[in-house]
Amino acid sequence: MLLPLGGAGEIGMNFNAYGFGPPDERKWIVVDCGVLFGRETETPGVDIIMPDIRWLAEQREDVLAIVLTHAHEDHIGAVGHLWPELQCPLYATPFTARLIEDKLFEAGITERVRVNIVPLHGHLNLGPFSIDFLSITHSILEPNALAIRTPLGTVVHTGDWKIDPEPLLGEKTEINALRKIGDEGALALVCDSTNALVQGHSGSEADVRTALTDLIGTLKGRVAVTGFASNVARLDTIAKAARTHGREVALVGRSMHRITKAARDTGYIEDFPRLVSEEEAAQLPPDRILYLCTGSQGEPRAALSRIAAGDHPTVSLGPGDSVIFSSRIIPGNEIGIHALHNKLAALGVEVLTVEDHFVHVSGHPARDELAEMYRWVRPQIAVPVHGELRHLAEHARLAKSLQVPQAVVIQNGQMLRLAPGRAEIVDEVPAGRMFLDGRIRVHEGEGFARTRRALGFAGLVAVTLVLDQRGRLAADPAILFEGIPDAVHPPVREAVAETTRRYNPRSGKEQDLAENVRRAARRAAADVWGKKPITRVELART
Amino acid sequence: MLLPLGGAGEIGMNFNAYGFGPPDERKWIVVDCGVLFGRETETPGVDIIMPDIRWLAEQREDVLAIVLTHAHEDHIGAVGHLWPELQCPLYATPFTARLIEDKLFEAGITERVRVNIVPLHGHLNLGPFSIDFLSITHSILEPNALAIRTPLGTVVHTGDWKIDPEPLLGEKTEINALRKIGDEGALALVCDSTNALVQGHSGSEADVRTALTDLIGTLKGRVAVTGFASNVARLDTIAKAARTHGREVALVGRSMHRITKAARDTGYIEDFPRLVSEEEAAQLPPDRILYLCTGSQGEPRAALSRIAAGDHPTVSLGPGDSVIFSSRIIPGNEIGIHALHNKLAALGVEVLTVEDHFVHVSGHPARDELAEMYRWVRPQIAVPVHGELRHLAEHARLAKSLQVPQAVVIQNGQMLRLAPGRAEIVDEVPAGRMFLDGRIRVHEGEGFARTRRALGFAGLVAVTLVLDQRGRLAADPAILFEGIPDAVHPPVREAVAETTRRYNPRSGKEQDLAENVRRAARRAAADVWGKKPITRVELART
């Protein structure tokens, strides 16, 4: 049984539950527990979105474990928030485990939960599930696919992956192990769909190393490179390219320090060039320094945005300097990133991106790689996950074209029976999104972000009517306008005054008064403005 | 003298003023008068943004004319809004003039202003300016470059353009005329920068015709194609491709009807296939119909979004049907367009886009085309316009690499002396953005959209304190929460109650009370929520 509660409908908040056994004695394991990042347009004021797992939490006695495939936020970011609802053991490989510990620390639950470390190529028995960790390649250290064996067959859960023949750091893809599972006969392939719309092959980190090293060699002045801190192979590439061209490397931004420390703690990048501090870097000639910065997505509080705004404490860039964006634009971040490019251009800094230079490759499989994976595993059933519906649909179409007998598109909350018999959706459980709104977790259905989006569109008129004990108006109405052009205020004031003048206190219909005032105010605003503000009327009683 | 008031800092709201003569007798012409579309993230509730032209409006006696290069909204969209501030004659070629008349009608000023029609390849004398209209190619009918001749030299203002050897409809680029100006010696080239970051060549409409026709031939079921209605050559391509493959064509969406009518009224598309109505189309077999729909940018009220939502009155799509997006994604629209793709995928509709098929070419010059233009005109001064700062900067860099003696990046409001002497910024005038907020025009500096954005982030707490004539609290405070999670309410209520309890009416410090309540409420919210709502306190007096 496969039950995705996140990731089947969005690229992010991956959360998949696998169940085995008849309903009354079914045991579950969870694969990945990630977040999705909120967007100002759809979810203003919400930084982090995670799956609603209440259905699974109700049977937490039967949830044996959470297994994490790799350390990206969309796979581990919700562990600190959701572990208390499941309270089961965690399993991950060393580098991933190291970063999960940070999550548990932030959530203040380090004492309550232990992360069980699984070695690379390791094995795990959890009730009816026998799990092999298969090394694969992606854009982070220690990505794993899982071969989940049950008495009814073997499911290969890919996690995030690509085929990188030269990942530079860490293991290569265990192609032979995947082929062997195919030879034995695989029941299902539950597979990354992120780039199912992309033709060709994602390319290799080794190719980026060559191109980036050459590019950095052509630059004069200060060089700053920004990218995803979690791509340690890329950081290693950039640091070594700097040294090749006689530049010292300084890390700028918290994630850069955090990730490189985790990589070093777990035995990676032992030959990483010696770093200089931001302060030391500031003393060096411009052509002797390279900054490795956070902020490739235009995040306003990250290092690069602060540098571009001229308010970074130690790093400043100007004419003759260059910034390389060794990253892609995550959809939805275009405007923020372009604004950052514009700010850098205003400083006279040259901006180099993947649009005009070969400075990035994706970590997800393009169609040729998906086809290769299907040739290795040859599953009976293809289940696309990790994608929006358009990616899942196209991935399923591709799988069918590759002769996979069944390709099933499912969405969060749909329970798919993989065996016995044909794959079939047999149930649908509550699913959805939880928002971390500031520090408070709310269900998307509670609508606070939606209300704020409406406030963003047309602002608010709040009227307070003061009534005395006999229901008479005891003061002039207090009217508050927020986010509404001045020209709208007088007609609204007039409408409120007119409506209250017509009120007969002896009628006793105070709620009618409130509703009439609300409607009159809203209508008056709409008449002059063409938009209807949120309009609220409160009663105060003396 | 060149003074851009829009377009030098954004792709949109193009507005350039050219001045000639000493300051006290300087005459001006305006080239283009466009809008920029608002974005929910940055300017929630604002659909349309236009330049602040108050400085020019103050000397409107000396503004001789507004000349419009072509009919895209970012070049003519503000005419109805801004003409009243300048009240000068308008000049445009026939198709452009036809669409401007719609703008004047919407603004209710048809009676007051006449659009003077300039024939293609026409000429215009306006005070010290002698202007030649040069046909060029772009993604609309009748794009014009202007050769603006003055006693101090000739400026070529490109408007929007590309080099399309086969534009299919309308004129080709007057290459010889441009070369001739180069031979005579051009002072300046004021040029489109949209695609200054794009390598290569934009490609031709003729190539898209071949590819789209082939693609449509492969499709079964209903086919809907969406794109920019203003690209009449593309509409013609699609309609003819439909007929080639035995499909009838129905237009869906107001702009499709409006633009094809304007094109027909001005003598274009006389061989456009006969159209069927939406109602007739619904009666045809699926493989006999092609819908040409508005909504390629995911606009929620456009035809395609309504079809995807299943609430279009006559058009419905389902499994086996296809939608072709014959368009690019305008930056900032990614999320909305992807959501539309996902909705169509949920209906079982196959979505075909420029990501996987050759169904669109840009209307703006890529770098090879820019280089070609510089080889034709060979100006003394390059002035990049029509772009964000990053485009202008890169365009200037390119121009310098092409041996243009001077390339000057200027921003809205900067007055550039082109002659005599070296080009130089000699003044800076008030500039900025006006928002059409609902129906009311407000200056961006008034901050209503910014306030609403803040409301979107953290909502609002509004407290009304009722005081009697002696300054005593006469009622319990009325507290309104909007867009704020429930858990935040009790501590805020408690903070307000506590602060009012400590108030001594005999102190007479009512404003202090209000401010103390505001701060206490805000702090209480921040403590529990981690975010600070907009907090307002009103006083009502009995």
Side-chain angles (χ1 to χ4, degrees):
Chain A
M1 206 67 76
L2 168 59
L3 171 65
L5 290 172
E10 63 270 302
I11 296 178
M13 69 171 211
N14 292 282
F15 191 105
N16 293 282
Y18 288 93
F20 187 87
D24 51 341
E25 36 188 292
R26 190 170 291 155
K27 298 296 176 187
W28 293 93
I29 57 167
V30 171
V31 177
D32 290 333
C33 184
V35 296
L36 177 71
F37 294 105
R39 293 184 188 121
E40 186 172 342
T41 310
E42 295 88 357
T43 56
V46 174
D47 289 333
I48 283 176
I49 301 173
M50 60 194 102
D52 174 1
I53 63 162
R54 76 182 105 151
W55 184 86
L56 203 65
E58 281 166 16
Q59 31 249 311
R60 78 170 190 224
E61 301 297 316
D62 296 316
V63 179
L64 305 175
I66 303 173
V67 182
L68 292 313
T69 60
H70 67 284
H72 275 144
E73 291 292 324
D74 58 337
H75 293 258
I76 67 165
V79 167
H81 304 291
L82 297 183
W83 181 85
E85 296 188 28
L86 297 176
Q87 300 190 19
C88 61
L90 301 175
Y91 293 90
T93 54
F95 176 75
T96 307
R98 174 70 182 67
L99 290 172
I100 290 171
E101 274 158 12
D102 291 349
K103 301 278 159 204
L104 301 177
F105 180 80
E106 284 165 22
I109 53 176
T110 309
E111 301 298 312
R112 296 170 59 199
V113 50
R114 214 181 131 228
V115 189
N116 299 287
I117 296 177
V118 182
L120 294 182
H121 322 291
H123 181 83
L124 202 55
N125 284 316
L126 295 166
F129 304 97
S130 162
I131 302 175
D132 288 319
F133 281 64
L134 306 178
S135 288
I136 201 161
T137 50
H138 183 42
S139 48
I140 194 168
L141 290 170
E142 297 185 4
N144 293 283
L146 304 178
I148 305 170
R149 297 171 203 275
T150 72
L152 287 174
T154 300
V155 174
V156 175
H157 182 102
T158 63
D160 291 5
W161 65 283
K162 67 185 289 187
I163 300 174
D164 192 336
E166 290 185 79
L168 302 182
L169 286 183
E171 305 294 299
K172 296 194 180 175
T173 298
E174 289 189 61
I175 300 175
N176 288 333
L178 290 164
R179 278 214 188 97
K180 190 154 164 279
I181 293 166
D183 293 343
E184 294 161 7
L187 175 63
L189 182 67
V190 179
C191 182
D192 183 352
S193 309
T194 311
N195 280 350
L197 299 168
V198 179
Q199 300 292 336
H201 192 289
S202 59
S204 171
E205 281 296 325
D207 301 331
V208 180
R209 174 161 293 189
T210 309
L212 256 178
T213 305
D214 290 350
L215 177 62
I216 289 169
T218 67
L219 301 176
K220 324 272 176 232
R222 289 177 192 83
V223 173
V225 186
T226 185
F228 302 107
S230 56
N231 190 338
V232 178
R234 188 74 55 81
L235 305 189
D236 190 55
T237 286
I238 296 161
K240 285 176 178 157
R243 294 315 303 261
T244 299
H245 298 295
R247 292 176 184 268
E248 302 289 328
V249 178
L251 303 183
V252 191
R254 198 169 142 265
S255 306
M256 288 290 171
H257 290 282
R258 191 171 59 84
I259 301 277
T260 50
K261 180 163 186 332
R264 203 172 278 123
D265 289 352
T266 48
Y268 295 95
I269 56 170
E270 284 171 355
D271 62 343
F272 201 72
R274 195 186 64 86
L275 298 167
V276 299
S277 69
E278 296 171 17
E279 291 73 17
E280 288 170 300
Q283 306 302 319
L284 292 169
D287 62 351
R288 291 286 312 285
I289 178 66
L290 181 145
Y291 295 106
L292 206 37
C293 303
T294 56
S296 70
Q297 297 306 306
E299 304 90 333
R301 284 164 296 190
L304 191 57
S305 286
R306 297 182 60 196
I307 294 168
D311 65 3
H312 193 278
T314 59
V315 183
S316 68
L317 298 177
D321 298 337
S322 307
V323 174
I324 302 174
F325 283 72
S326 179
S327 54
R328 72 178 183 114
I329 297 182
I330 294 178
N333 294 344
E334 290 80 4
I335 300 303
I337 293 174
H338 290 163
L340 177 56
H341 292 178
N342 288 329
K343 276 187 196 155
L344 290 166
L347 294 175
V349 172
E350 185 161 15
V351 176
L352 308 164
T353 75
V354 73
E355 288 181 61
D356 31 67
H357 295 82
F358 183 54
V359 291
H360 180 66
V361 289
S362 172
H364 297 276
R367 294 167 71 90
D368 288 356
E369 290 156 278
L370 288 169
E372 189 77 34
M373 178 63 82
Y374 280 98
R375 277 193 291 273
W376 293 336
V377 178
R378 289 153 280 156
Q380 291 302 304
I381 308 160
V383 188
V385 292
H386 202 285
E388 298 172 16
L389 210 46
R390 65 201 174 105
H391 305 103
L392 306 184
E394 187 57 32
H395 184 165
R397 216 173 271 134
L398 176 67
K400 280 180 191 154
S401 79
L402 297 166
Q403 313 289 331
V404 178
Q406 252 195 298
V408 195
V409 171
I410 55 172
Q411 297 185 49
N412 294 336
Q414 293 183 331
M415 202 182 291
L416 181 70
R417 191 194 61 215
L418 295 168
R422 270 181 75 80
E424 201 179 329
I425 295 169
V426 291
D427 200 358
E428 189 146 354
V429 310
R433 295 177 172 191
M434 304 292 299
F435 296 161
L436 193 63
D437 192 343
R439 279 200 290 268
I440 295 175
R441 209 189 319 162
V442 296
H443 195 277
E444 67 177 328
E446 293 177 68
F448 299 110
R450 194 167 56 239
T451 298
R452 293 200 301 267
R453 190 174 172 184
L455 284 172
F457 178 72
L460 177 121
V461 175
V463 182
T464 303
L465 302 174
V466 183
L467 300 180
D468 68 15
Q469 309 250 338
R470 293 160 69 180
R472 296 174 304 198
L473 284 158
D476 285 340
I479 309 182
L480 178 141
F481 297 91
E482 201 69 45
I484 296 176
D486 295 342
V488 181
H489 303 193
V492 170
R493 288 187 193 285
E494 177 50 36
V496 172
E498 172 64 25
T499 310
T500 52
R501 264 199 298 277
R502 286 204 314 264
Y503 171 62
N504 175 1
R506 277 167 298 184
S507 72
K509 295 181 176 168
E510 295 170 5
Q511 286 310 321
D512 286 359
L513 169 67
E515 179 58 15
N516 291 341
V517 166
R518 196 186 68 80
R519 286 194 194 166
R522 193 168 150 91
R523 198 181 319 116
D527 283 349
V528 55
W529 194 21
K531 299 203 299 193
K532 289 176 183 163
I534 291 189
T535 309
R536 295 277 300 264
V537 178
E538 302 280 301
L539 297 178
R541 281 160 207 291
T542 60
Chain B
M1 205 67 76
L2 167 60
L3 171 64
L5 291 172
E10 64 271 301
I11 296 177
M13 67 170 214
N14 292 283
F15 191 106
N16 293 283
Y18 287 94
F20 187 88
D24 50 342
E25 36 188 289
R26 190 170 291 156
K27 298 295 175 189
W28 293 93
I29 57 167
V30 171
V31 177
D32 290 333
C33 184
V35 295
L36 177 70
F37 294 105
R39 295 185 187 121
E40 186 173 342
T41 310
E42 295 88 357
T43 55
V46 173
D47 289 334
I48 283 176
I49 300 173
M50 60 194 102
D52 174 1
I53 63 164
R54 77 182 105 151
W55 184 85
L56 203 64
E58 281 166 17
Q59 30 249 310
R60 77 170 190 225
E61 301 297 315
D62 296 315
V63 179
L64 305 175
I66 304 174
V67 182
L68 292 314
T69 60
H70 68 284
H72 275 144
E73 290 293 324
D74 59 337
H75 293 258
I76 67 165
V79 167
H81 303 291
L82 296 183
W83 180 86
E85 295 189 28
L86 297 176
Q87 300 190 20
C88 60
L90 301 176
Y91 293 90
T93 54
F95 177 75
T96 307
R98 175 69 181 68
L99 290 173
I100 290 171
E101 275 158 11
D102 291 350
K103 301 279 158 206
L104 302 176
F105 180 80
E106 284 165 22
I109 53 175
T110 308
E111 302 298 312
R112 296 171 59 199
V113 50
R114 213 180 132 229
V115 188
N116 299 287
I117 296 179
V118 182
L120 294 182
H121 323 290
H123 181 84
L124 201 57
N125 284 318
L126 295 166
F129 304 97
S130 162
I131 302 174
D132 287 318
F133 281 64
L134 306 178
S135 288
I136 201 161
T137 50
H138 182 43
S139 49
I140 193 168
L141 289 169
E142 297 184 1
N144 292 283
L146 304 177
I148 304 170
R149 297 171 203 274
T150 72
L152 287 175
T154 301
V155 175
V156 175
H157 182 102
T158 62
D160 291 4
W161 65 284
K162 67 185 289 187
I163 301 173
D164 192 337
E166 289 185 80
L168 302 182
L169 286 183
E171 305 294 298
K172 295 195 180 175
T173 298
E174 290 189 60
I175 299 175
N176 288 334
L178 290 165
R179 278 214 188 96
K180 189 154 165 278
I181 293 166
D183 293 343
E184 295 162 8
L187 176 62
L189 181 67
V190 180
C191 182
D192 183 352
S193 309
T194 311
N195 281 350
L197 299 169
V198 179
Q199 301 291 336
H201 192 290
S202 60
S204 171
E205 281 296 327
D207 301 332
V208 180
R209 174 161 294 190
T210 309
L212 256 179
T213 305
D214 290 349
L215 177 62
I216 289 169
T218 67
L219 301 175
K220 324 272 175 229
R222 290 176 191 82
V223 174
V225 187
T226 185
F228 302 107
S230 56
N231 190 337
V232 178
R234 188 74 55 80
L235 305 189
D236 190 55
T237 285
I238 296 161
K240 285 177 177 157
R243 294 314 303 262
T244 299
H245 298 295
R247 293 177 183 268
E248 302 288 330
V249 179
L251 303 182
V252 191
R254 197 168 143 264
S255 305
M256 288 290 171
H257 290 281
R258 190 170 61 83
I259 301 277
T260 50
K261 181 163 186 331
R264 203 173 278 121
D265 290 352
T266 47
Y268 295 95
I269 57 169
E270 284 171 356
D271 63 344
F272 200 71
R274 195 186 64 88
L275 298 168
V276 299
S277 70
E278 295 171 18
E279 292 74 16
E280 290 171 298
Q283 306 303 319
L284 292 168
D287 62 350
R288 291 286 312 285
I289 177 67
L290 182 145
Y291 294 106
L292 206 36
C293 302
T294 56
S296 70
Q297 298 306 307
E299 304 91 333
R301 285 164 296 191
L304 191 59
S305 287
R306 297 182 60 196
I307 295 168
D311 64 2
H312 193 278
T314 59
V315 183
S316 69
L317 298 176
D321 299 338
S322 307
V323 174
I324 301 173
F325 283 74
S326 180
S327 54
R328 72 179 183 115
I329 297 182
I330 294 178
N333 294 345
E334 290 80 3
I335 301 302
I337 292 174
H338 290 163
L340 178 56
H341 292 178
N342 288 328
K343 276 188 196 155
L344 290 166
L347 295 175
V349 172
E350 186 161 12
V351 176
L352 307 165
T353 75
V354 72
E355 287 181 63
D356 31 65
H357 295 82
F358 183 54
V359 292
H360 179 67
V361 289
S362 172
H364 297 276
R367 294 168 71 90
D368 288 357
E369 289 156 279
L370 288 170
E372 189 78 35
M373 177 62 83
Y374 280 99
R375 277 194 291 272
W376 293 335
V377 178
R378 289 153 280 156
Q380 291 302 304
I381 309 161
V383 188
V385 293
H386 202 286
E388 298 172 15
L389 208 47
R390 64 200 174 106
H391 305 103
L392 307 184
E394 187 56 34
H395 183 164
R397 216 173 272 133
L398 176 67
K400 279 180 193 155
S401 79
L402 297 166
Q403 313 289 331
V404 178
Q406 252 195 298
V408 194
V409 171
I410 54 172
Q411 298 185 51
N412 294 336
Q414 292 183 331
M415 202 182 292
L416 181 70
R417 189 193 62 214
L418 295 168
R422 268 181 76 80
E424 201 179 329
I425 294 169
V426 291
D427 200 359
E428 188 146 356
V429 311
R433 294 176 173 191
M434 303 292 299
F435 295 161
L436 194 63
D437 191 343
R439 280 200 290 268
I440 294 176
R441 209 189 318 163
V442 296
H443 195 276
E444 67 177 330
E446 293 177 67
F448 299 110
R450 195 167 56 237
T451 297
R452 292 199 302 268
R453 190 174 172 184
L455 284 172
F457 178 70
L460 176 122
V461 174
V463 182
T464 304
L465 301 174
V466 184
L467 299 179
D468 68 15
Q469 310 250 337
R470 294 161 67 182
R472 296 173 305 197
L473 284 158
D476 286 340
I479 309 181
L480 177 141
F481 298 91
E482 201 68 46
I484 296 175
D486 295 343
V488 182
H489 303 193
V492 171
R493 288 188 193 286
E494 178 50 37
V496 172
E498 173 65 24
T499 310
T500 53
R501 264 199 301 275
R502 286 205 314 263
Y503 171 63
N504 175 2
R506 277 167 297 185
S507 72
K509 295 181 175 168
E510 294 170 5
Q511 286 308 325
D512 286 358
L513 170 66
E515 179 58 15
N516 291 341
V517 166
R518 196 186 68 79
R519 285 194 194 167
R522 193 167 150 91
R523 198 182 318 117
D527 283 348
V528 55
W529 194 21
K531 299 203 299 192
K532 289 177 182 163
I534 291 188
T535 309
R536 295 276 302 262
V537 178
E538 301 280 301
L539 298 178
R541 281 159 207 292
T542 61

